[in-house]
Amino acid sequence: LPFATLADLLLPSNECALEECAEYLQKGVDEPQELDYACLYQSKKKYKVALEVWRDLYEGARIEEGEDGVQPAIELLEKLNVTGDLDPPNLLWEHASWILKAKPREGMRIFTSTER
């Protein structure tokens, strides 16, 4: 298979029907697929929902074994900050505090990345 994970299939974009796929991912086969659920919303440019899912993973409100949601949140905010696609603009500030608390050094990339 050309895809290692379902997230690889979902990102960067796809033709999935958001509501149908979201419902499936929330039920999952054996358990909810939280990371893939967030990636689905990211692929549809629903960044606020994706970031909320990742924050919930970090805070323990959602659970997926081996995933705390911090790294994908850092990568998304870093990308959106570099490209200027932060919408709404306060999205970065809304999520920066929990990210910096979880991983201060890695979280600073959100603000310091210069890749264009």
Side-chain angles (χ1 to χ4, degrees), residues 33-102:
Q33 304 297 308
E34 303 293 358
L35 181 63
D36 297 327
Y37 179 75
C39 289
L40 173 65
Y41 277 92
Q42 178 182 346
S43 74
K44 300 297 184 183
K45 298 186 179 188
K46 306 276 186 195
Y47 303 127
K48 183 173 176 42
V49 175
L51 287 161
E52 287 170 354
V53 171
W54 290 323
R55 182 188 58 217
D56 287 351
L57 282 166
Y58 168 70
E59 293 176 345
R62 295 175 183 258
I63 297 172
E64 183 163 329
E65 188 173 332
E67 184 56 59
D68 65 5
V70 179
Q71 195 58 42
I74 291 171
E75 291 169 6
L76 176 60
L77 286 174
E78 179 182 17
K79 175 185 156 203
L80 294 177
N81 198 27
V82 167
T83 61
D85 291 333
L86 279 164
D87 186 32
N90 67 333
L91 203 56
L92 183 141
W93 300 110
E94 185 178 330
H95 293 279
S97 62
W98 68 265
I99 291 170
L100 290 170
K101 181 179 173 186

